[in-house]
Amino acid sequence: MNIKSIIVSSIMTLAAFSALSDARAAAVITIDQVGSDVIATGSGTINLTDLPIIGEDSESANVSKEGGASTILALGGMGSTKGSLTSLVAGPSSFGNPSGLYFASSASGDHFGILEGRPGAQLILPSNYVSGTALSDTTIWDNMTLAGLGFTDGAYVWTWGTGVNADSLTLEIGAVPEPSTWAMMILGFCGLGFMAYRHRHADSLSAFATA
């Protein structure tokens, strides 16, 4: 592959990751291992135009397996926190397999999360949540690991709505590279490719000069 092909290919890849970054969910939950603790943070907004509230939820901040089928990830709020459940959203059927009920050690902010089950998942939102309102929460499990809580590393996306009302929630667990990280990696590979090209080009000129 010549240097022009490398550059063109890299630009196209960067553009794709840029588009991915722009298309990120309006609501994002990240869960990471930080030292000896597991920390979850949630932020963003939810568009409820095509996703009506259909029920109520009452959960402490926890991750758990309920009824042998549904997995709950409830962030924000300690004690019994009243919230709302939306209609079903489309997405993965599992983001892990907790072996029990694990209450958070501490939590603050909005009651927010995901109840995944079958045939689809439901979003957990603050009670009387108003569409488009900003969400923010932090939840901590002291002296726990991602594996110990039953989480599986990866990026999970749930979607709903159509047209201008289309929206989504992304759950990122563990080491999921950000689009900006991928971009930096690609630029690094481009630099290495360019250096190799210059080295080969210099060797060719040297060989031609001594011929």
Short mmCIF file of all heavy atoms in Angstrom, two decimals, residues 31-39 63 98-105 139-151:
data_model
loop_
_atom_site.label_atom_id
_atom_site.label_comp_id
_atom_site.label_asym_id
_atom_site.label_seq_id
_atom_site.Cartn_x
_atom_site.Cartn_y
_atom_site.Cartn_z
N ILE A 31 -19.42 2.34 33.51
CA ILE A 31 -19.10 1.60 34.74
C ILE A 31 -17.66 1.13 34.63
O ILE A 31 -17.30 0.41 33.69
CB ILE A 31 -20.05 0.39 34.93
CG1 ILE A 31 -21.51 0.85 34.89
CG2 ILE A 31 -19.74 -0.31 36.24
CD1 ILE A 31 -22.50 -0.29 35.01
N ASP A 32 -16.83 1.54 35.59
CA ASP A 32 -15.40 1.23 35.53
C ASP A 32 -14.90 0.72 36.88
O ASP A 32 -15.47 1.03 37.93
CB ASP A 32 -14.59 2.47 35.15
CG ASP A 32 -14.85 2.92 33.73
OD1 ASP A 32 -14.65 2.11 32.81
OD2 ASP A 32 -15.27 4.08 33.53
N GLN A 33 -13.81 -0.03 36.82
CA GLN A 33 -13.08 -0.42 38.02
C GLN A 33 -12.12 0.71 38.35
O GLN A 33 -11.27 1.08 37.54
CB GLN A 33 -12.30 -1.71 37.76
CG GLN A 33 -11.62 -2.28 38.99
CD GLN A 33 -12.62 -2.95 39.94
OE1 GLN A 33 -13.47 -3.72 39.49
NE2 GLN A 33 -12.53 -2.65 41.23
N VAL A 34 -12.26 1.31 39.51
CA VAL A 34 -11.39 2.39 39.95
C VAL A 34 -10.76 1.98 41.27
O VAL A 34 -11.40 2.04 42.33
CB VAL A 34 -12.16 3.72 40.11
CG1 VAL A 34 -11.21 4.83 40.54
CG2 VAL A 34 -12.87 4.09 38.81
N GLY A 35 -9.51 1.51 41.20
CA GLY A 35 -8.88 0.97 42.39
C GLY A 35 -9.62 -0.26 42.87
O GLY A 35 -9.88 -1.19 42.10
N SER A 36 -10.01 -0.26 44.13
CA SER A 36 -10.72 -1.42 44.70
C SER A 36 -12.23 -1.29 44.58
O SER A 36 -12.96 -2.17 45.05
CB SER A 36 -10.33 -1.58 46.17
OG SER A 36 -10.70 -0.41 46.91
N ASP A 37 -12.70 -0.21 43.94
CA ASP A 37 -14.14 0.04 43.87
C ASP A 37 -14.65 0.00 42.43
O ASP A 37 -13.89 0.16 41.48
CB ASP A 37 -14.48 1.42 44.47
CG ASP A 37 -13.97 1.58 45.88
OD1 ASP A 37 -13.91 0.57 46.61
OD2 ASP A 37 -13.62 2.72 46.25
N VAL A 38 -15.94 -0.18 42.30
CA VAL A 38 -16.62 -0.06 41.01
C VAL A 38 -17.45 1.22 41.04
O VAL A 38 -18.25 1.41 41.97
CB VAL A 38 -17.53 -1.27 40.72
CG1 VAL A 38 -18.37 -1.02 39.46
CG2 VAL A 38 -16.68 -2.53 40.54
N ILE A 39 -17.23 2.09 40.05
CA ILE A 39 -17.94 3.36 40.00
C ILE A 39 -18.75 3.47 38.71
O ILE A 39 -18.23 3.25 37.62
CB ILE A 39 -16.95 4.55 40.11
CG1 ILE A 39 -16.18 4.47 41.44
CG2 ILE A 39 -17.71 5.88 39.99
CD1 ILE A 39 -15.18 5.59 41.62
N VAL A 63 -27.30 -3.48 41.53
CA VAL A 63 -27.33 -4.33 40.35
C VAL A 63 -27.78 -5.70 40.85
O VAL A 63 -27.32 -6.17 41.89
CB VAL A 63 -25.95 -4.42 39.65
CG1 VAL A 63 -24.87 -4.95 40.58
CG2 VAL A 63 -26.05 -5.31 38.41
N PRO A 98 -25.47 -10.99 37.10
CA PRO A 98 -25.27 -10.93 38.55
C PRO A 98 -25.80 -12.19 39.23
O PRO A 98 -26.83 -12.72 38.83
CB PRO A 98 -26.10 -9.70 38.96
CG PRO A 98 -26.23 -8.90 37.71
CD PRO A 98 -26.29 -9.89 36.60
N SER A 99 -25.10 -12.63 40.25
CA SER A 99 -25.53 -13.85 40.94
C SER A 99 -26.43 -13.56 42.12
O SER A 99 -26.87 -14.47 42.81
CB SER A 99 -24.29 -14.63 41.41
OG SER A 99 -23.51 -13.83 42.30
N GLY A 100 -26.68 -12.28 42.37
CA GLY A 100 -27.53 -11.92 43.49
C GLY A 100 -27.85 -10.44 43.47
O GLY A 100 -27.79 -9.79 42.43
N LEU A 101 -28.16 -9.92 44.64
CA LEU A 101 -28.52 -8.51 44.79
C LEU A 101 -27.35 -7.78 45.44
O LEU A 101 -26.90 -8.15 46.53
CB LEU A 101 -29.77 -8.39 45.67
CG LEU A 101 -30.17 -6.99 46.13
CD1 LEU A 101 -30.51 -6.10 44.95
CD2 LEU A 101 -31.36 -7.09 47.09
N TYR A 102 -26.84 -6.75 44.78
CA TYR A 102 -25.70 -5.99 45.29
C TYR A 102 -26.09 -4.52 45.41
O TYR A 102 -26.10 -3.78 44.41
CB TYR A 102 -24.49 -6.14 44.35
CG TYR A 102 -24.04 -7.57 44.17
CD1 TYR A 102 -24.49 -8.33 43.08
CD2 TYR A 102 -23.18 -8.17 45.08
CE1 TYR A 102 -24.10 -9.64 42.92
CE2 TYR A 102 -22.78 -9.48 44.92
CZ TYR A 102 -23.23 -10.21 43.84
OH TYR A 102 -22.84 -11.52 43.67
N PHE A 103 -26.42 -4.12 46.64
CA PHE A 103 -26.74 -2.72 46.86
C PHE A 103 -25.48 -1.87 46.79
O PHE A 103 -24.39 -2.31 47.21
CB PHE A 103 -27.41 -2.53 48.23
CG PHE A 103 -28.81 -3.04 48.30
CD1 PHE A 103 -29.13 -4.15 49.07
CD2 PHE A 103 -29.83 -2.41 47.58
CE1 PHE A 103 -30.43 -4.63 49.13
CE2 PHE A 103 -31.13 -2.88 47.63
CZ PHE A 103 -31.44 -3.99 48.42
N ALA A 104 -25.61 -0.66 46.28
CA ALA A 104 -24.47 0.24 46.20
C ALA A 104 -24.08 0.71 47.61
O ALA A 104 -24.91 0.77 48.52
CB ALA A 104 -24.82 1.44 45.34
N SER A 105 -22.79 1.04 47.76
CA SER A 105 -22.30 1.57 49.04
C SER A 105 -22.70 3.03 49.19
O SER A 105 -22.96 3.50 50.31
CB SER A 105 -20.78 1.44 49.11
OG SER A 105 -20.38 0.11 48.90
N THR A 139 -22.79 6.32 41.28
CA THR A 139 -23.06 5.21 42.18
C THR A 139 -21.77 4.42 42.39
O THR A 139 -21.05 4.15 41.42
CB THR A 139 -24.16 4.30 41.61
OG1 THR A 139 -25.37 5.08 41.46
CG2 THR A 139 -24.43 3.12 42.52
N ILE A 140 -21.49 4.04 43.64
CA ILE A 140 -20.23 3.38 43.97
C ILE A 140 -20.48 2.10 44.75
O ILE A 140 -21.27 2.08 45.70
CB ILE A 140 -19.31 4.31 44.80
CG1 ILE A 140 -19.04 5.62 44.05
CG2 ILE A 140 -18.00 3.61 45.16
CD1 ILE A 140 -18.30 6.66 44.86
N TRP A 141 -19.81 1.03 44.32
CA TRP A 141 -19.77 -0.22 45.08
C TRP A 141 -18.36 -0.35 45.65
O TRP A 141 -17.39 -0.56 44.91
CB TRP A 141 -20.08 -1.41 44.18
CG TRP A 141 -21.50 -1.54 43.75
CD1 TRP A 141 -22.49 -2.25 44.37
CD2 TRP A 141 -22.12 -0.95 42.59
NE1 TRP A 141 -23.67 -2.14 43.68
CE2 TRP A 141 -23.48 -1.35 42.57
CE3 TRP A 141 -21.66 -0.13 41.56
CZ2 TRP A 141 -24.36 -0.95 41.59
CZ3 TRP A 141 -22.52 0.28 40.58
CH2 TRP A 141 -23.86 -0.12 40.59
N ASP A 142 -18.24 -0.22 46.98
CA ASP A 142 -16.93 -0.30 47.63
C ASP A 142 -16.41 -1.74 47.65
O ASP A 142 -17.18 -2.69 47.86
CB ASP A 142 -17.01 0.20 49.08
CG ASP A 142 -17.29 1.69 49.17
OD1 ASP A 142 -17.02 2.42 48.19
OD2 ASP A 142 -17.79 2.13 50.23
N ASN A 143 -15.10 -1.86 47.43
CA ASN A 143 -14.42 -3.16 47.55
C ASN A 143 -15.09 -4.26 46.73
O ASN A 143 -15.29 -5.39 47.20
CB ASN A 143 -14.34 -3.58 49.02
CG ASN A 143 -13.58 -2.58 49.87
OD1 ASN A 143 -12.49 -2.14 49.50
ND2 ASN A 143 -14.17 -2.20 50.99
N MET A 144 -15.44 -3.90 45.49
CA MET A 144 -16.04 -4.86 44.57
C MET A 144 -15.32 -4.78 43.23
O MET A 144 -14.60 -3.83 42.95
CB MET A 144 -17.53 -4.57 44.38
CG MET A 144 -18.41 -4.89 45.56
SD MET A 144 -18.42 -6.65 46.01
CE MET A 144 -19.16 -7.38 44.55
N THR A 145 -15.52 -5.79 42.40
CA THR A 145 -14.98 -5.81 41.06
C THR A 145 -16.11 -5.91 40.05
O THR A 145 -17.23 -6.31 40.40
CB THR A 145 -14.03 -7.00 40.85
OG1 THR A 145 -14.79 -8.23 40.97
CG2 THR A 145 -12.89 -6.99 41.88
N LEU A 146 -15.81 -5.56 38.80
CA LEU A 146 -16.82 -5.69 37.75
C LEU A 146 -17.31 -7.13 37.64
O LEU A 146 -18.51 -7.39 37.55
CB LEU A 146 -16.24 -5.23 36.41
CG LEU A 146 -15.93 -3.73 36.28
CD1 LEU A 146 -15.18 -3.45 34.98
CD2 LEU A 146 -17.22 -2.91 36.32
N ALA A 147 -16.34 -8.07 37.66
CA ALA A 147 -16.71 -9.49 37.55
C ALA A 147 -17.51 -9.93 38.76
O ALA A 147 -18.47 -10.71 38.65
CB ALA A 147 -15.45 -10.34 37.40
N GLY A 148 -17.13 -9.44 39.95
CA GLY A 148 -17.83 -9.82 41.16
C GLY A 148 -19.28 -9.36 41.18
O GLY A 148 -20.14 -10.01 41.78
N LEU A 149 -19.54 -8.24 40.49
CA LEU A 149 -20.91 -7.73 40.40
C LEU A 149 -21.68 -8.35 39.24
O LEU A 149 -22.87 -8.07 39.06
CB LEU A 149 -20.89 -6.20 40.25
CG LEU A 149 -20.46 -5.43 41.50
CD1 LEU A 149 -20.27 -3.95 41.16
CD2 LEU A 149 -21.47 -5.59 42.63
N GLY A 150 -20.98 -9.15 38.44
CA GLY A 150 -21.65 -9.83 37.33
C GLY A 150 -21.67 -9.07 36.03
O GLY A 150 -22.35 -9.47 35.08
N PHE A 151 -20.93 -7.93 35.95
CA PHE A 151 -20.89 -7.17 34.71
C PHE A 151 -19.98 -7.84 33.68
O PHE A 151 -18.96 -8.43 34.03
CB PHE A 151 -20.37 -5.75 34.96
CG PHE A 151 -21.31 -4.88 35.73
CD1 PHE A 151 -20.93 -4.34 36.95
CD2 PHE A 151 -22.57 -4.59 35.24
CE1 PHE A 151 -21.79 -3.52 37.66
CE2 PHE A 151 -23.44 -3.77 35.94
CZ PHE A 151 -23.05 -3.23 37.16
#
